[in-house]
């Protein structure tokens, strides 16, 4: 029976044997089209065993099949598009469960918020081509966007704070590469050691408000702290006192001594 053969794969369609199938077996696609024009509802034909694919070939819309009780999965397998299912008022979740991709839903006109509510991940929306700003507006967190493959620089550009990036699991080095300065990293909760590992200079940490003691415990050397501009009293408070006259040595005094011809050996004392 032509009416019960899949229009693409040419396999037989199942029918409900609780009804008399003889009239159905005699129907052609043309007969079904004529039935539709006469007002025969898709629901009636569904009860007679017609598949969604057959009814689609007969001209029935996705909306008519939805009203007849066919699922989003039935319609997808019958060849209806995501746009047609959207027009038939299937939800984004219906389409996701039917097997449509995030890209298909985007093409159908669903918003990032629609896809998020349907259960799509940030990575799936990224693969569908949505920009990071749209994902942020849809409510995806910095952590979800990091897992999706966006960089710290991407998140910074879209308006996420250093604190949000730290909470998402980005390192101080990631944030440095993204363009955050030492002050922003300190405010976000990174330690002096985190910033040292990230490659920031002692001077940058000093300018950000870290103490000589912070830098000392982070692993910077006494020379690093002197070059960063910490005073002898700040160094002493950090437990970095010099012996003899070197305890009073400063960058300015070292410059003056050099101009006077004092040797490095004498300054080292």
């Amino acid at each position: 029976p032509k009416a019960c053969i899949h229009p693409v794969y040419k396999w037989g369609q199942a029918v409900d044997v609780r009804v008399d199938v003889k009239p159905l077996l005699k129907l052609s696609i043309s007969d079904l089209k004529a039935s539709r024009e006469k007002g025969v509802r898709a629901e009636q034909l569904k009860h007679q065993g017609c598949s969604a694919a057959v009814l689609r070939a007969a001209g029935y819309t996705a909306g008519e099949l939805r009203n007849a009780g066919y699922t989003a999965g039935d319609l997808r397998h019958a060849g209806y598009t995501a746009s047609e299912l959207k027009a038939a008022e299937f939800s984004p979740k219906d389409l996701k469960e039917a097997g449509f991709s995030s890209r298909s839903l985007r093409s159908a006109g669903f918003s990032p918020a629609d896809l998020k509510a349907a259960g799509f991940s940030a990575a799936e929306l990224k693969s569908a081509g949505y920009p990071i700003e749209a994902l942020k507006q849809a409510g995806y967190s910095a952590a979800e966007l990091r897992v999706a493959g966006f960089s710290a620089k991407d998140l910074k550009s879209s308006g996420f704070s250093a604190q949000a990036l730290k909470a998402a699991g980005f390192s101080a080095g990631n944030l440095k590469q993204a363009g955050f300065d030492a002050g922003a990293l300190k405010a976000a909760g990174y330690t002096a050691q985190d910033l040292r590992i990230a490659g920031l200079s002692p001077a940058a940490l000093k300018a950000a408000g870290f103490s000589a003691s912070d830098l000392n415990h982070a692993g910077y050397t006494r020379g690093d702290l002197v070059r960063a501009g910490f005073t002898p009293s700040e160094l002493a408070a950090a437990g970095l006192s010099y012996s003899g006259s070197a305890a009073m040595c400063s960058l300015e005094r070292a410059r003056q001594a050099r101009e006077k011809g004092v040797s490095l050996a004498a300054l080292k004392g």
Side-chain angles (χ1 to χ4, degrees), residues 132 142 146 150-166 168-182 184-185 188 190 198-200:
I132 187 172
R146 181 181 68 82
F150 290 102
S151 69
K153 186 176 182 180
D154 294 330
L155 271 69
K156 180 178 185 292
S157 298
S158 66
F160 282 97
S161 67
Q163 288 89 340
L165 269 66
K166 182 178 186 295
F170 286 102
S171 69
N174 296 146
L175 270 70
K176 179 194 173 191
Q177 292 175 353
F180 288 100
D181 61 21
L185 269 63
Y190 290 100
L200 281 89

PDB file of all heavy atoms in Angstrom, residues 132 142 146 150-166 168-182 184-185 188 190 198-200:
ATOM      1  N   ILE A 132      29.749  35.181  23.158  1.00  0.00           N
ATOM      2  CA  ILE A 132      29.836  35.064  24.607  1.00  0.00           C
ATOM      3  C   ILE A 132      28.934  36.068  25.319  1.00  0.00           C
ATOM      4  O   ILE A 132      28.374  35.772  26.375  1.00  0.00           O
ATOM      5  CB  ILE A 132      31.300  35.213  25.080  1.00  0.00           C
ATOM      6  CG1 ILE A 132      31.413  34.920  26.576  1.00  0.00           C
ATOM      7  CG2 ILE A 132      31.854  36.582  24.715  1.00  0.00           C
ATOM      8  CD1 ILE A 132      32.834  34.855  27.086  1.00  0.00           C
ATOM      9  N   ALA A 142      30.465  32.347  34.793  1.00  0.00           N
ATOM     10  CA  ALA A 142      31.843  32.380  34.315  1.00  0.00           C
ATOM     11  C   ALA A 142      32.433  30.977  34.283  1.00  0.00           C
ATOM     12  O   ALA A 142      33.172  30.613  33.366  1.00  0.00           O
ATOM     13  CB  ALA A 142      32.683  33.298  35.204  1.00  0.00           C
ATOM     14  N   ARG A 146      33.917  29.068  31.082  1.00  0.00           N
ATOM     15  CA  ARG A 146      35.292  28.548  31.059  1.00  0.00           C
ATOM     16  C   ARG A 146      35.289  27.105  30.570  1.00  0.00           C
ATOM     17  O   ARG A 146      36.114  26.726  29.731  1.00  0.00           O
ATOM     18  CB  ARG A 146      35.928  28.639  32.449  1.00  0.00           C
ATOM     19  CG  ARG A 146      37.380  28.129  32.494  1.00  0.00           C
ATOM     20  CD  ARG A 146      37.976  28.200  33.884  1.00  0.00           C
ATOM     21  NE  ARG A 146      37.351  27.272  34.806  1.00  0.00           N
ATOM     22  CZ  ARG A 146      37.655  25.979  34.897  1.00  0.00           C
ATOM     23  NH1 ARG A 146      38.593  25.457  34.110  1.00  0.00           N
ATOM     24  NH2 ARG A 146      37.038  25.188  35.757  1.00  0.00           N
ATOM     25  N   PHE A 150      35.786  29.237  26.570  1.00  0.00           N
ATOM     26  CA  PHE A 150      36.097  30.653  26.457  1.00  0.00           C
ATOM     27  C   PHE A 150      37.291  30.984  27.357  1.00  0.00           C
ATOM     28  O   PHE A 150      37.473  30.397  28.416  1.00  0.00           O
ATOM     29  CB  PHE A 150      34.890  31.512  26.858  1.00  0.00           C
ATOM     30  CG  PHE A 150      33.749  31.459  25.874  1.00  0.00           C
ATOM     31  CD1 PHE A 150      32.622  30.690  26.129  1.00  0.00           C
ATOM     32  CD2 PHE A 150      33.805  32.182  24.692  1.00  0.00           C
ATOM     33  CE1 PHE A 150      31.572  30.631  25.225  1.00  0.00           C
ATOM     34  CE2 PHE A 150      32.761  32.128  23.773  1.00  0.00           C
ATOM     35  CZ  PHE A 150      31.642  31.356  24.043  1.00  0.00           C
ATOM     36  N   SER A 151      38.118  31.932  26.924  1.00  0.00           N
ATOM     37  CA  SER A 151      39.313  32.313  27.674  1.00  0.00           C
ATOM     38  C   SER A 151      38.993  33.395  28.696  1.00  0.00           C
ATOM     39  O   SER A 151      37.920  34.016  28.670  1.00  0.00           O
ATOM     40  CB  SER A 151      40.385  32.840  26.714  1.00  0.00           C
ATOM     41  OG  SER A 151      39.974  34.096  26.157  1.00  0.00           O
ATOM     42  N   ALA A 152      39.960  33.627  29.590  1.00  0.00           N
ATOM     43  CA  ALA A 152      39.804  34.702  30.574  1.00  0.00           C
ATOM     44  C   ALA A 152      39.654  36.046  29.863  1.00  0.00           C
ATOM     45  O   ALA A 152      38.881  36.907  30.295  1.00  0.00           O
ATOM     46  CB  ALA A 152      41.005  34.721  31.507  1.00  0.00           C
ATOM     47  N   LYS A 153      40.362  36.201  28.761  1.00  0.00           N
ATOM     48  CA  LYS A 153      40.261  37.450  27.987  1.00  0.00           C
ATOM     49  C   LYS A 153      38.858  37.616  27.412  1.00  0.00           C
ATOM     50  O   LYS A 153      38.301  38.726  27.409  1.00  0.00           O
ATOM     51  CB  LYS A 153      41.296  37.458  26.867  1.00  0.00           C
ATOM     52  CG  LYS A 153      41.358  38.768  26.092  1.00  0.00           C
ATOM     53  CD  LYS A 153      42.477  38.747  25.067  1.00  0.00           C
ATOM     54  CE  LYS A 153      42.559  40.072  24.328  1.00  0.00           C
ATOM     55  NZ  LYS A 153      43.655  40.064  23.314  1.00  0.00           N
ATOM     56  N   ASP A 154      38.287  36.520  26.931  1.00  0.00           N
ATOM     57  CA  ASP A 154      36.908  36.563  26.409  1.00  0.00           C
ATOM     58  C   ASP A 154      35.941  37.023  27.497  1.00  0.00           C
ATOM     59  O   ASP A 154      35.078  37.873  27.259  1.00  0.00           O
ATOM     60  CB  ASP A 154      36.471  35.180  25.921  1.00  0.00           C
ATOM     61  CG  ASP A 154      37.247  34.688  24.716  1.00  0.00           C
ATOM     62  OD1 ASP A 154      37.686  35.522  23.915  1.00  0.00           O
ATOM     63  OD2 ASP A 154      37.402  33.452  24.575  1.00  0.00           O
ATOM     64  N   LEU A 155      36.092  36.443  28.685  1.00  0.00           N
ATOM     65  CA  LEU A 155      35.180  36.770  29.786  1.00  0.00           C
ATOM     66  C   LEU A 155      35.380  38.206  30.253  1.00  0.00           C
ATOM     67  O   LEU A 155      34.405  38.899  30.564  1.00  0.00           O
ATOM     68  CB  LEU A 155      35.359  35.788  30.941  1.00  0.00           C
ATOM     69  CG  LEU A 155      34.475  34.530  30.860  1.00  0.00           C
ATOM     70  CD1 LEU A 155      34.917  33.618  29.710  1.00  0.00           C
ATOM     71  CD2 LEU A 155      34.501  33.743  32.161  1.00  0.00           C
ATOM     72  N   LYS A 156      36.624  38.652  30.295  1.00  0.00           N
ATOM     73  CA  LYS A 156      36.891  40.045  30.692  1.00  0.00           C
ATOM     74  C   LYS A 156      36.244  41.001  29.694  1.00  0.00           C
ATOM     75  O   LYS A 156      35.609  41.987  30.075  1.00  0.00           O
ATOM     76  CB  LYS A 156      38.389  40.312  30.768  1.00  0.00           C
ATOM     77  CG  LYS A 156      38.762  41.746  31.181  1.00  0.00           C
ATOM     78  CD  LYS A 156      40.275  41.899  31.276  1.00  0.00           C
ATOM     79  CE  LYS A 156      40.654  43.280  31.795  1.00  0.00           C
ATOM     80  NZ  LYS A 156      40.340  44.364  30.841  1.00  0.00           N
ATOM     81  N   SER A 157      36.387  40.690  28.409  1.00  0.00           N
ATOM     82  CA  SER A 157      35.819  41.549  27.363  1.00  0.00           C
ATOM     83  C   SER A 157      34.297  41.610  27.431  1.00  0.00           C
ATOM     84  O   SER A 157      33.690  42.609  27.042  1.00  0.00           O
ATOM     85  CB  SER A 157      36.243  41.050  25.980  1.00  0.00           C
ATOM     86  OG  SER A 157      37.648  41.099  25.832  1.00  0.00           O
ATOM     87  N   SER A 158      33.677  40.541  27.938  1.00  0.00           N
ATOM     88  CA  SER A 158      32.213  40.515  28.021  1.00  0.00           C
ATOM     89  C   SER A 158      31.691  41.088  29.336  1.00  0.00           C
ATOM     90  O   SER A 158      30.478  41.106  29.559  1.00  0.00           O
ATOM     91  CB  SER A 158      31.697  39.087  27.830  1.00  0.00           C
ATOM     92  OG  SER A 158      32.091  38.258  28.901  1.00  0.00           O
ATOM     93  N   GLY A 159      32.607  41.538  30.198  1.00  0.00           N
ATOM     94  CA  GLY A 159      32.176  42.245  31.397  1.00  0.00           C
ATOM     95  C   GLY A 159      32.285  41.501  32.711  1.00  0.00           C
ATOM     96  O   GLY A 159      31.848  42.013  33.744  1.00  0.00           O
ATOM     97  N   PHE A 160      32.866  40.317  32.706  1.00  0.00           N
ATOM     98  CA  PHE A 160      33.042  39.605  33.968  1.00  0.00           C
ATOM     99  C   PHE A 160      34.187  40.230  34.763  1.00  0.00           C
ATOM    100  O   PHE A 160      35.184  40.682  34.202  1.00  0.00           O
ATOM    101  CB  PHE A 160      33.341  38.125  33.731  1.00  0.00           C
ATOM    102  CG  PHE A 160      32.130  37.299  33.384  1.00  0.00           C
ATOM    103  CD1 PHE A 160      31.823  37.012  32.056  1.00  0.00           C
ATOM    104  CD2 PHE A 160      31.292  36.813  34.373  1.00  0.00           C
ATOM    105  CE1 PHE A 160      30.712  36.254  31.728  1.00  0.00           C
ATOM    106  CE2 PHE A 160      30.179  36.045  34.059  1.00  0.00           C
ATOM    107  CZ  PHE A 160      29.883  35.768  32.739  1.00  0.00           C
ATOM    108  N   SER A 161      34.034  40.262  36.078  1.00  0.00           N
ATOM    109  CA  SER A 161      35.046  40.843  36.962  1.00  0.00           C
ATOM    110  C   SER A 161      36.157  39.843  37.244  1.00  0.00           C
ATOM    111  O   SER A 161      36.024  38.640  36.995  1.00  0.00           O
ATOM    112  CB  SER A 161      34.406  41.257  38.283  1.00  0.00           C
ATOM    113  OG  SER A 161      33.975  40.103  39.011  1.00  0.00           O
ATOM    114  N   ALA A 162      37.252  40.367  37.811  1.00  0.00           N
ATOM    115  CA  ALA A 162      38.353  39.494  38.211  1.00  0.00           C
ATOM    116  C   ALA A 162      37.882  38.503  39.279  1.00  0.00           C
ATOM    117  O   ALA A 162      38.286  37.332  39.279  1.00  0.00           O
ATOM    118  CB  ALA A 162      39.514  40.332  38.727  1.00  0.00           C
ATOM    119  N   GLN A 163      37.019  38.955  40.175  1.00  0.00           N
ATOM    120  CA  GLN A 163      36.490  38.069  41.218  1.00  0.00           C
ATOM    121  C   GLN A 163      35.725  36.895  40.597  1.00  0.00           C
ATOM    122  O   GLN A 163      35.860  35.751  41.042  1.00  0.00           O
ATOM    123  CB  GLN A 163      35.576  38.847  42.169  1.00  0.00           C
ATOM    124  CG  GLN A 163      36.306  39.796  43.104  1.00  0.00           C
ATOM    125  CD  GLN A 163      36.487  41.176  42.499  1.00  0.00           C
ATOM    126  OE1 GLN A 163      36.421  41.349  41.283  1.00  0.00           O
ATOM    127  NE2 GLN A 163      36.724  42.167  43.356  1.00  0.00           N
ATOM    128  N   ALA A 164      34.910  37.198  39.584  1.00  0.00           N
ATOM    129  CA  ALA A 164      34.121  36.138  38.936  1.00  0.00           C
ATOM    130  C   ALA A 164      35.028  35.139  38.233  1.00  0.00           C
ATOM    131  O   ALA A 164      34.781  33.925  38.264  1.00  0.00           O
ATOM    132  CB  ALA A 164      33.147  36.754  37.937  1.00  0.00           C
ATOM    133  N   LEU A 165      36.091  35.634  37.622  1.00  0.00           N
ATOM    134  CA  LEU A 165      37.017  34.746  36.931  1.00  0.00           C
ATOM    135  C   LEU A 165      37.797  33.875  37.911  1.00  0.00           C
ATOM    136  O   LEU A 165      38.054  32.705  37.638  1.00  0.00           O
ATOM    137  CB  LEU A 165      37.975  35.551  36.049  1.00  0.00           C
ATOM    138  CG  LEU A 165      37.481  35.772  34.606  1.00  0.00           C
ATOM    139  CD1 LEU A 165      36.244  36.662  34.584  1.00  0.00           C
ATOM    140  CD2 LEU A 165      38.578  36.378  33.747  1.00  0.00           C
ATOM    141  N   LYS A 166      38.163  34.448  39.049  1.00  0.00           N
ATOM    142  CA  LYS A 166      38.851  33.647  40.061  1.00  0.00           C
ATOM    143  C   LYS A 166      37.920  32.538  40.565  1.00  0.00           C
ATOM    144  O   LYS A 166      38.334  31.381  40.698  1.00  0.00           O
ATOM    145  CB  LYS A 166      39.303  34.509  41.236  1.00  0.00           C
ATOM    146  CG  LYS A 166      40.066  33.732  42.318  1.00  0.00           C
ATOM    147  CD  LYS A 166      40.539  34.639  43.447  1.00  0.00           C
ATOM    148  CE  LYS A 166      41.430  33.878  44.430  1.00  0.00           C
ATOM    149  NZ  LYS A 166      40.718  32.818  45.152  1.00  0.00           N
ATOM    150  N   ALA A 168      35.644  31.175  38.989  1.00  0.00           N
ATOM    151  CA  ALA A 168      35.428  30.218  37.900  1.00  0.00           C
ATOM    152  C   ALA A 168      36.597  29.257  37.733  1.00  0.00           C
ATOM    153  O   ALA A 168      36.490  28.281  36.991  1.00  0.00           O
ATOM    154  CB  ALA A 168      35.198  30.961  36.593  1.00  0.00           C
ATOM    155  N   GLY A 169      37.702  29.543  38.433  1.00  0.00           N
ATOM    156  CA  GLY A 169      38.837  28.626  38.361  1.00  0.00           C
ATOM    157  C   GLY A 169      39.993  29.082  37.511  1.00  0.00           C
ATOM    158  O   GLY A 169      40.938  28.322  37.288  1.00  0.00           O
ATOM    159  N   PHE A 170      39.940  30.322  37.034  1.00  0.00           N
ATOM    160  CA  PHE A 170      41.074  30.847  36.264  1.00  0.00           C
ATOM    161  C   PHE A 170      42.230  31.189  37.209  1.00  0.00           C
ATOM    162  O   PHE A 170      42.013  31.611  38.346  1.00  0.00           O
ATOM    163  CB  PHE A 170      40.675  32.103  35.486  1.00  0.00           C
ATOM    164  CG  PHE A 170      39.808  31.829  34.279  1.00  0.00           C
ATOM    165  CD1 PHE A 170      38.441  32.046  34.322  1.00  0.00           C
ATOM    166  CD2 PHE A 170      40.364  31.358  33.095  1.00  0.00           C
ATOM    167  CE1 PHE A 170      37.638  31.801  33.218  1.00  0.00           C
ATOM    168  CE2 PHE A 170      39.569  31.110  31.983  1.00  0.00           C
ATOM    169  CZ  PHE A 170      38.206  31.330  32.049  1.00  0.00           C
ATOM    170  N   SER A 171      43.453  31.021  36.746  1.00  0.00           N
ATOM    171  CA  SER A 171      44.629  31.333  37.550  1.00  0.00           C
ATOM    172  C   SER A 171      44.969  32.819  37.443  1.00  0.00           C
ATOM    173  O   SER A 171      44.467  33.535  36.563  1.00  0.00           O
ATOM    174  CB  SER A 171      45.829  30.516  37.069  1.00  0.00           C
ATOM    175  OG  SER A 171      46.249  30.961  35.777  1.00  0.00           O
ATOM    176  N   ALA A 172      45.851  33.257  38.337  1.00  0.00           N
ATOM    177  CA  ALA A 172      46.309  34.645  38.269  1.00  0.00           C
ATOM    178  C   ALA A 172      47.009  34.905  36.941  1.00  0.00           C
ATOM    179  O   ALA A 172      46.882  35.993  36.364  1.00  0.00           O
ATOM    180  CB  ALA A 172      47.248  34.943  39.436  1.00  0.00           C
ATOM    181  N   GLY A 173      47.736  33.889  36.450  1.00  0.00           N
ATOM    182  CA  GLY A 173      48.396  34.030  35.154  1.00  0.00           C
ATOM    183  C   GLY A 173      47.401  34.223  34.021  1.00  0.00           C
ATOM    184  O   GLY A 173      47.626  35.015  33.105  1.00  0.00           O
ATOM    185  N   ASN A 174      46.287  33.505  34.079  1.00  0.00           N
ATOM    186  CA  ASN A 174      45.231  33.676  33.067  1.00  0.00           C
ATOM    187  C   ASN A 174      44.712  35.106  33.073  1.00  0.00           C
ATOM    188  O   ASN A 174      44.508  35.722  32.018  1.00  0.00           O
ATOM    189  CB  ASN A 174      44.063  32.733  33.337  1.00  0.00           C
ATOM    190  CG  ASN A 174      44.388  31.275  33.230  1.00  0.00           C
ATOM    191  OD1 ASN A 174      43.844  30.449  33.960  1.00  0.00           O
ATOM    192  ND2 ASN A 174      45.286  30.903  32.311  1.00  0.00           N
ATOM    193  N   LEU A 175      44.491  35.633  34.266  1.00  0.00           N
ATOM    194  CA  LEU A 175      43.952  36.988  34.382  1.00  0.00           C
ATOM    195  C   LEU A 175      44.970  38.024  33.953  1.00  0.00           C
ATOM    196  O   LEU A 175      44.617  39.058  33.365  1.00  0.00           O
ATOM    197  CB  LEU A 175      43.459  37.274  35.805  1.00  0.00           C
ATOM    198  CG  LEU A 175      41.985  36.901  36.042  1.00  0.00           C
ATOM    199  CD1 LEU A 175      41.793  35.389  36.036  1.00  0.00           C
ATOM    200  CD2 LEU A 175      41.476  37.490  37.346  1.00  0.00           C
ATOM    201  N   LYS A 176      46.240  37.773  34.250  1.00  0.00           N
ATOM    202  CA  LYS A 176      47.290  38.693  33.802  1.00  0.00           C
ATOM    203  C   LYS A 176      47.294  38.759  32.278  1.00  0.00           C
ATOM    204  O   LYS A 176      47.355  39.846  31.687  1.00  0.00           O
ATOM    205  CB  LYS A 176      48.646  38.227  34.307  1.00  0.00           C
ATOM    206  CG  LYS A 176      49.794  39.136  33.865  1.00  0.00           C
ATOM    207  CD  LYS A 176      51.149  38.471  34.089  1.00  0.00           C
ATOM    208  CE  LYS A 176      52.265  39.310  33.493  1.00  0.00           C
ATOM    209  NZ  LYS A 176      53.552  38.591  33.450  1.00  0.00           N
ATOM    210  N   GLN A 177      47.215  37.590  31.622  1.00  0.00           N
ATOM    211  CA  GLN A 177      47.184  37.549  30.161  1.00  0.00           C
ATOM    212  C   GLN A 177      45.939  38.235  29.606  1.00  0.00           C
ATOM    213  O   GLN A 177      45.954  38.775  28.502  1.00  0.00           O
ATOM    214  CB  GLN A 177      47.247  36.100  29.676  1.00  0.00           C
ATOM    215  CG  GLN A 177      48.581  35.422  29.955  1.00  0.00           C
ATOM    216  CD  GLN A 177      48.573  33.949  29.576  1.00  0.00           C
ATOM    217  OE1 GLN A 177      47.528  33.395  29.228  1.00  0.00           O
ATOM    218  NE2 GLN A 177      49.727  33.310  29.647  1.00  0.00           N
ATOM    219  N   ALA A 178      44.864  38.212  30.386  1.00  0.00           N
ATOM    220  CA  ALA A 178      43.612  38.841  29.951  1.00  0.00           C
ATOM    221  C   ALA A 178      43.660  40.361  30.082  1.00  0.00           C
ATOM    222  O   ALA A 178      42.807  41.051  29.526  1.00  0.00           O
ATOM    223  CB  ALA A 178      42.448  38.297  30.759  1.00  0.00           C
ATOM    224  N   GLY A 179      44.647  40.866  30.833  1.00  0.00           N
ATOM    225  CA  GLY A 179      44.791  42.310  30.954  1.00  0.00           C
ATOM    226  C   GLY A 179      44.483  42.893  32.313  1.00  0.00           C
ATOM    227  O   GLY A 179      44.485  44.115  32.481  1.00  0.00           O
ATOM    228  N   PHE A 180      44.227  42.061  33.300  1.00  0.00           N
ATOM    229  CA  PHE A 180      44.004  42.564  34.653  1.00  0.00           C
ATOM    230  C   PHE A 180      45.340  42.926  35.289  1.00  0.00           C
ATOM    231  O   PHE A 180      46.345  42.224  35.087  1.00  0.00           O
ATOM    232  CB  PHE A 180      43.288  41.518  35.519  1.00  0.00           C
ATOM    233  CG  PHE A 180      41.841  41.299  35.184  1.00  0.00           C
ATOM    234  CD1 PHE A 180      41.449  40.216  34.414  1.00  0.00           C
ATOM    235  CD2 PHE A 180      40.869  42.178  35.644  1.00  0.00           C
ATOM    236  CE1 PHE A 180      40.109  40.003  34.108  1.00  0.00           C
ATOM    237  CE2 PHE A 180      39.526  41.982  35.345  1.00  0.00           C
ATOM    238  CZ  PHE A 180      39.145  40.888  34.576  1.00  0.00           C
ATOM    239  N   ASP A 181      45.367  44.040  36.053  1.00  0.00           N
ATOM    240  CA  ASP A 181      46.610  44.432  36.712  1.00  0.00           C
ATOM    241  C   ASP A 181      46.703  43.823  38.104  1.00  0.00           C
ATOM    242  O   ASP A 181      45.782  43.140  38.573  1.00  0.00           O
ATOM    243  CB  ASP A 181      46.737  45.965  36.775  1.00  0.00           C
ATOM    244  CG  ASP A 181      45.617  46.633  37.563  1.00  0.00           C
ATOM    245  OD1 ASP A 181      44.969  45.960  38.392  1.00  0.00           O
ATOM    246  OD2 ASP A 181      45.394  47.843  37.357  1.00  0.00           O
ATOM    247  N   ALA A 182      47.848  44.079  38.768  1.00  0.00           N
ATOM    248  CA  ALA A 182      48.092  43.486  40.083  1.00  0.00           C
ATOM    249  C   ALA A 182      47.050  43.924  41.102  1.00  0.00           C
ATOM    250  O   ALA A 182      46.634  43.135  41.959  1.00  0.00           O
ATOM    251  CB  ALA A 182      49.497  43.848  40.561  1.00  0.00           C
ATOM    252  N   ALA A 184      43.866  44.637  40.573  1.00  0.00           N
ATOM    253  CA  ALA A 184      42.620  43.889  40.356  1.00  0.00           C
ATOM    254  C   ALA A 184      42.754  42.463  40.850  1.00  0.00           C
ATOM    255  O   ALA A 184      41.815  41.896  41.437  1.00  0.00           O
ATOM    256  CB  ALA A 184      42.263  43.904  38.877  1.00  0.00           C
ATOM    257  N   LEU A 185      43.927  41.889  40.654  1.00  0.00           N
ATOM    258  CA  LEU A 185      44.139  40.515  41.108  1.00  0.00           C
ATOM    259  C   LEU A 185      44.168  40.433  42.628  1.00  0.00           C
ATOM    260  O   LEU A 185      43.628  39.494  43.217  1.00  0.00           O
ATOM    261  CB  LEU A 185      45.442  39.959  40.523  1.00  0.00           C
ATOM    262  CG  LEU A 185      45.290  39.237  39.172  1.00  0.00           C
ATOM    263  CD1 LEU A 185      44.804  40.183  38.094  1.00  0.00           C
ATOM    264  CD2 LEU A 185      46.622  38.611  38.754  1.00  0.00           C
ATOM    265  N   ALA A 188      40.716  40.655  43.878  1.00  0.00           N
ATOM    266  CA  ALA A 188      39.960  39.426  43.598  1.00  0.00           C
ATOM    267  C   ALA A 188      40.278  38.317  44.591  1.00  0.00           C
ATOM    268  O   ALA A 188      39.559  37.317  44.658  1.00  0.00           O
ATOM    269  CB  ALA A 188      40.263  38.947  42.187  1.00  0.00           C
ATOM    270  N   TYR A 190      43.615  36.968  44.994  1.00  0.00           N
ATOM    271  CA  TYR A 190      44.843  36.235  44.722  1.00  0.00           C
ATOM    272  C   TYR A 190      45.934  36.679  45.699  1.00  0.00           C
ATOM    273  O   TYR A 190      45.998  37.841  46.102  1.00  0.00           O
ATOM    274  CB  TYR A 190      45.314  36.469  43.285  1.00  0.00           C
ATOM    275  CG  TYR A 190      44.432  35.823  42.241  1.00  0.00           C
ATOM    276  CD1 TYR A 190      43.492  36.566  41.538  1.00  0.00           C
ATOM    277  CD2 TYR A 190      44.542  34.466  41.949  1.00  0.00           C
ATOM    278  CE1 TYR A 190      42.670  35.982  40.580  1.00  0.00           C
ATOM    279  CE2 TYR A 190      43.723  33.872  40.979  1.00  0.00           C
ATOM    280  CZ  TYR A 190      42.798  34.635  40.315  1.00  0.00           C
ATOM    281  OH  TYR A 190      41.985  34.052  39.362  1.00  0.00           O
ATOM    282  N   ALA A 198      52.539  34.063  38.554  1.00  0.00           N
ATOM    283  CA  ALA A 198      51.995  34.595  37.295  1.00  0.00           C
ATOM    284  C   ALA A 198      52.991  35.484  36.571  1.00  0.00           C
ATOM    285  O   ALA A 198      52.763  35.852  35.416  1.00  0.00           O
ATOM    286  CB  ALA A 198      50.719  35.374  37.573  1.00  0.00           C
ATOM    287  N   GLY A 199      54.089  35.829  37.252  1.00  0.00           N
ATOM    288  CA  GLY A 199      55.136  36.611  36.591  1.00  0.00           C
ATOM    289  C   GLY A 199      55.072  38.105  36.805  1.00  0.00           C
ATOM    290  O   GLY A 199      55.755  38.853  36.101  1.00  0.00           O
ATOM    291  N   LEU A 200      54.289  38.565  37.785  1.00  0.00           N
ATOM    292  CA  LEU A 200      54.234  39.996  38.041  1.00  0.00           C
ATOM    293  C   LEU A 200      55.465  40.433  38.839  1.00  0.00           C
ATOM    294  O   LEU A 200      56.006  39.689  39.649  1.00  0.00           O
ATOM    295  CB  LEU A 200      52.959  40.369  38.794  1.00  0.00           C
ATOM    296  CG  LEU A 200      51.713  40.459  37.894  1.00  0.00           C
ATOM    297  CD1 LEU A 200      51.037  39.107  37.796  1.00  0.00           C
ATOM    298  CD2 LEU A 200      50.727  41.493  38.388  1.00  0.00           C
TER     299      LEU A 200
END
